[in-house]
Structure formats: C-alpha cells, structure tokens
Amino acid sequence: MERTFICENVTSNESGHLCFASQDVINLTAKYGTPLYLMDEERIRQRCHTFKDAIHTCFGDNAYIAYASKAASFKEIYRIMKSEGMYVDVVSCGEIYTASQAGFPLRNSLFHSNNKTDDDIKYAMDNDVGYFVVDNEEELFAIQKEAKKRNITQKILLRITPGIDSHTFAAVATGKVDSKFGSAIKTGQAEQITKTALNQKNIKLSGYHCHIGSQIFSTEVFLRAAKIMIDFIADIKNTVGYETNILDMGGGFGVRYLPTDPVIDIKSTIISIGETIKELCKTVGVKLPTIIFEPGRSIVADAGMTVYTVGTVKRIPEFVNYVSVDGGMTDNVRYAMYKSNYTLVTANKIDETCNIKASIVGRCCESGDIIQENVPMPSTVCRGDTIACLTTGAYNYSMASNYNRIPRPPIVMLKGGKSRIVVRRETLSDICNLDE
Ligand SMILES: *Cc1c(COP(=O)(O)O)cnc(C)c1O
C-alpha cells in the first residue's frame, strides 16, 4: 500500500515495514537493536542546501547559515557541517569541545548562552571561537578582561531582545522584553550595552543578534522582528554613530511533527525575510549588513527517527490503552517537558488499520514518562512489535539523560543504502564510568 508520511524520507515497503531513507527499519533494528536513533544524512545535507541557496539568492556571499548545534550535537554532525561550509552555534564548553574534536574550524562559530562563566570565556578563547554573542553587560566586562589579558581583540555580537511575542509555547519563546535572554530595546538597555561595548578596548562590536523563539510557523513574526531590528540599527547609527556589520536573525523555523502541521517552505520564507531586510535598510538609510540565520531544529528534526520495541501492553477498559516501549523520557523528554506532538507508527505493521488509540509510555519510574497520548494503533499491537517515533532528529539525543541509569541509545547514520554507527550505544559499564 502506498502511504505518505510527514516527510518524504519516510516510506513503506511490500513487507508492510516502515522505511527510512529507503532502508527497512525492521532490518535496521535487527542489526542495531532498540531503542535506536536513526538519522538520514542526505536529508541533513539537503536542508543545509535549502537554507544556503535561499540566502545566496538574496544576499550573494554576504550571508551565512549557522547550524544551532544544540539541536543535535555529536562529532559526525560537526563533520557534516564543516563539509557543507556551514557556521555553527555553540552554547557550552561541551559543544565547543565536540566541534573541535571533529575538526570543525571554530573561527566559524558563534558562542551563545545567557551565562558564560569565566572558565567558558577562557575555553572559548583558547579554541578561537569566532564570535561571542554577548547577553549582558556583566558578561561584556568579563570578556573584555580576558581578552585584555591575552592581548587580543574579540569579535562579538550583542543579543538584542526585540520585544516580540512569537506566540509559541512559553518555554521556547525568547523574544519578549522580560525574557531571560539578551538586552531589550524598549528598556534602553540595548542602546546602553552598545555604547559600553564600543568603549571596550579589546572588543570589536561586529553587530547584533536576535532570536525570537522556536517552532515559529508565521513569516510575519520574522518580518516584524526584522523591522524592529533594522529600525534599531538605524537609531543607533543616528544617536551613537555606530553602523552594524552583521545582523543575525536567529533560528526558530517551524517543523512538521503531525500531518496537520503546516509545511514551511524554507526557501520562500528566507527569501521573503531577506527581501524585506534589503528594502528596510534602503528605507532607513543603513548599509546592508552581513546576514546570518541560525536554524537548528529545521536542519535536523525530520532527518531523525527513534525506534522502540514494544513491551507491556496494558488495557484499562473505558479509560486508556498503554503501550510501553523500551525507551522513554530518557531519549525523548519533549512531551514530558513541553507536551510536544509526534507522529508514531507501528513499524512492522504499517499496512494494518489503526483502530485503537494508545498512550505510548516509557520505562522510567515517572507517570509523566510519556512519548505521546492518543496515538492511533492497530488493535493487534503486542509485545515484540516495533514502534517508530518520527521527526526526532532535533532536541532528542541532545536532551537525553541517564535517568533510572538507563543507557542512551546509539545514533545510526543512513546514507545511500548504507548504515553506520556515529554514536555508539551506551553500555552498563559506561553508566558507572564516573562512579568512584
Ligand atoms: C536554540 C537557538 C537557535 C535554534 O532554534 P531552532 O528552533 O532549533 O531553529 C538559534 N539561535 C539561538 C540563539 C538559539 O538559542
């Protein structure tokens, strides 16, 4: 039976099995075991190309795409980003270390975080991180102090809060005035920190950054952010006399988790934001800065899938069916954390009619350990079946934990009909690695 799933890399075959990147998922679980993260390398590269093509259409060479690596951070992903000529965002010494171990050129990176410790600052400078994205004045002074000690000039962007409610879930909204991130335009703090930055001898202010949230489906929200930022850049030019070289518009492009979610056409979205930026710059009389976008989720989300084996199936008549899997909140905390939606399918029974609904739950000792509720399932679902959770490439592995001392699943990368382990399965002895 021909079926269409939420992304074109998900299909099925004549055995009634789910396929990912044209490979039979049941064969892959036989080879690698479950729970298992699968990733589709071609899809990751295709998404990089889509973003790069779009910015080059608008801005020629005067623009970059920085992959926000917190979405999925492991050595192979930095190797892929390096080979694609992408920049990356890093947010911790751990991400800097991983990128550096993978041979990623860290001069092409931007270092975020709302609280960089003195050790973080030193470590980032040791590794020649290209840009610090500075959140607040206190951090600015700490960077100045360290740069002076080293007798270097550190390039920075300032993180500005444009004062926009992106109408996304509160935990992923970052653009409002009262956000924990950045300096707000409305309160005057954005102008203040600009003046302070310009006065630091060992800091070169390269421009501004904003990131208004995540899972944003409305182009209009990005256009409003662009207008606020460019008006701000013009105000600063007029009042302070500083003209920005770089404008980083952040990430946050929405991803389809359910068939009912809208499809975002990245190319036309970026072009529409880009054309607006060009026009606005002309109107307010500032030079067109180098433009950066920082997609994370939209680069890797639908390039990933998690596969589980079904254990206990529990039916509580008139209430709910529970289908337990051999993973859970330890490999996918997003439903527990944000009530995130996912599409799940019974990978070995893809042609069977789904005539019951079930809660797919994990194996942790927490009632909240739920992958998803109200999932359509065939009534034959039983121990030993294989369940796939689609679109788990972003913020799943990177948020994984060892709660209940459960080892984390491996990541198997798929490409051209071949598969390879890029992160091995954690073992029980790994679990005790740090214990004395
Ligand atoms: C998380 C983050 C991103 C990426 O957001 P996505 O929703 O994954 O695209 C980009 N920039 C900054 C500063 C972030 O914190």
Side-chain angles (χ1 to χ4, degrees):
M1 190 171 73
E2 265 303 304
R3 286 199 34 191
T4 48
F5 296 94
I6 45 179
C7 182
E8 68 223 37
N9 57 0
V10 184
T11 52
S12 60
N13 63 16
E14 59 290 342
S15 314
H17 293 174
L18 186 72
C19 296
F20 193 45
S22 307
Q23 298 189 43
D24 186 314
V25 167
I26 304 303
N27 290 346
L28 290 165
T29 60
K31 184 162 179 193
Y32 297 105
T34 59
L36 174 65
Y37 292 117
L38 296 174
M39 288 199 92
D40 171 4
E41 182 172 340
E42 296 293 358
R43 180 69 183 169
I44 298 169
R45 291 183 182 275
Q46 192 190 330
R47 298 298 277 175
C48 293
H49 295 168
T50 304
F51 274 100
K52 284 191 295 181
D53 289 351
I55 54 158
H56 292 143
T57 304
C58 284
F59 304 109
D61 287 338
N62 196 26
Y64 300 98
I65 301 294
Y67 163 61
S69 69
K70 70 181 194 276
S73 178
F74 50 91
K75 278 160 56 175
E76 189 69 3
I77 209 97
Y78 294 102
R79 293 186 195 113
I80 294 172
M81 293 305 144
K82 180 184 175 187
S83 88
E84 290 295 336
M86 300 273 283
Y87 274 51
V88 299
D89 278 5
V90 288
V91 297
S92 69
C93 293
E95 288 183 359
I96 292 170
Y97 177 76
T98 311
S100 117
Q101 288 292 301
F104 187 88
L106 280 150
R107 63 180 176 280
N108 297 344
S109 72
L110 300 112
F111 183 24
H112 287 271
S113 140
N114 66 310
N115 179 22
K116 300 172 188 74
T117 65
D118 291 346
D119 285 345
D120 291 345
I121 292 168
K122 286 181 192 148
Y123 190 74
M125 287 181 185
D126 287 346
N127 283 280
D128 288 327
V129 157
Y131 297 88
F132 280 64
V133 182
V134 176
D135 190 88
N136 54 69
E137 280 201 340
E138 196 179 310
E139 187 175 296
L140 189 64
F141 297 137
I143 295 166
Q144 161 59 30
K145 197 169 153 203
E146 187 60 31
K148 186 173 175 200
K149 223 188 267 171
R150 293 168 188 243
N151 197 22
I152 59 165
T153 303
Q154 179 61 54
K155 289 184 287 185
I156 66 155
L157 303 179
L158 292 173
R159 179 158 185 168
I160 303 300
T161 319
I164 286 188
D165 186 350
S166 54
H167 295 291
T168 179
F169 190 82
V172 292
T174 53
K176 291 158 77 179
V177 174
D178 59 354
S179 165
K180 84 164 178 176
F181 296 104
S183 307
I185 296 173
K186 276 203 190 99
T187 59
Q189 280 160 312
E191 181 179 325
Q192 182 53 48
I193 195 171
T194 301
K195 290 182 188 156
T196 312
L198 291 168
N199 278 328
Q200 307 304 311
K201 287 213 164 57
N202 298 81
I203 282 179
K204 179 179 178 349
L205 176 60
S206 300
Y208 296 109
H209 166 275
C210 71
H211 171 70
I212 48 180
S214 204
Q215 252 326 57
I216 298 167
F217 286 99
S218 152
T219 307
E220 203 266 324
V221 173
F222 287 107
L223 298 183
R224 261 196 294 150
K227 168 120 180 52
I228 292 168
M229 291 303 289
I230 287 166
D231 285 346
F232 172 70
I233 287 168
D235 284 349
I236 291 293
K237 183 183 173 188
N238 296 330
T239 58
V240 182
Y242 167 75
E243 194 164 13
T244 190
N245 292 314
I246 296 179
L247 172 60
D248 181 336
M249 290 297 298
F253 303 95
V255 158
R256 238 171 138 217
Y257 287 97
L258 296 178
T260 47
D261 289 338
V263 183
I264 284 211
D265 181 344
I266 291 297
K267 182 149 195 191
S268 69
T269 303
I270 296 285
I271 289 177
S272 140
I273 302 166
E275 292 306 320
T276 303
I277 288 174
K278 284 201 270 193
E279 240 174 71
L280 288 167
C281 285
K282 242 183 241 159
T283 314
V284 299
V286 296
K287 71 170 186 220
L288 181 64
T290 298
I291 301 296
I292 300 177
F293 287 99
E294 303 175 319
R297 187 191 307 277
S298 49
I299 298 280
V300 287
D302 57 24
M305 170 189 287
T306 310
V307 195
Y308 304 104
T309 300
V310 173
T312 304
V313 177
K314 189 177 284 184
R315 296 170 200 265
I316 308 178
E318 322 227 337
F319 286 96
V320 64
N321 300 308
Y322 282 114
V323 173
S324 317
V325 294
D326 55 355
M329 63 188 284
T330 43
D331 59 78
N332 184 355
V333 75
R334 294 190 64 253
Y335 187 81
M337 200 163 159
Y338 320 117
K339 287 267 177 292
S340 304
N341 291 314
Y342 283 101
T343 299
L344 289 103
V345 296
T346 314
N348 59 322
K349 295 180 171 172
I350 216 70
D351 294 335
E352 283 190 30
T353 310
C354 292
N355 45 6
I356 63 161
K357 286 202 168 161
S359 286
I360 312 300
V361 298
R363 65 196 304 188
C364 294
C365 303
E366 292 286 330
S367 302
D369 176 19
I370 298 171
I371 303 276
Q372 200 68 194
E373 294 174 283
N374 290 314
V375 177
M377 292 264 119
S379 58
T380 62
V381 64
C382 62
R383 194 176 190 88
D385 278 346
T386 307
I387 287 184
C389 184
L390 311 185
T391 328
T392 59
Y395 304 108
N396 275 234
Y397 174 71
S398 61
M399 288 185 171
S401 76
N402 290 124
Y403 182 53
N404 288 179
R405 298 237 130 181
I406 292 172
R408 284 172 293 183
I411 303 177
V412 168
M413 191 69 78
L414 309 178
K415 188 188 184 188
K418 295 208 172 85
S419 59
R420 65 187 195 278
I421 295 172
V422 294
V423 176
R424 72 160 170 80
R425 185 180 295 283
E426 247 175 352
T427 63
L428 290 177
S429 89
D430 289 332
I431 289 287
C432 280
N433 254 350
L434 308 177
D435 298 14
E436 297 295 345

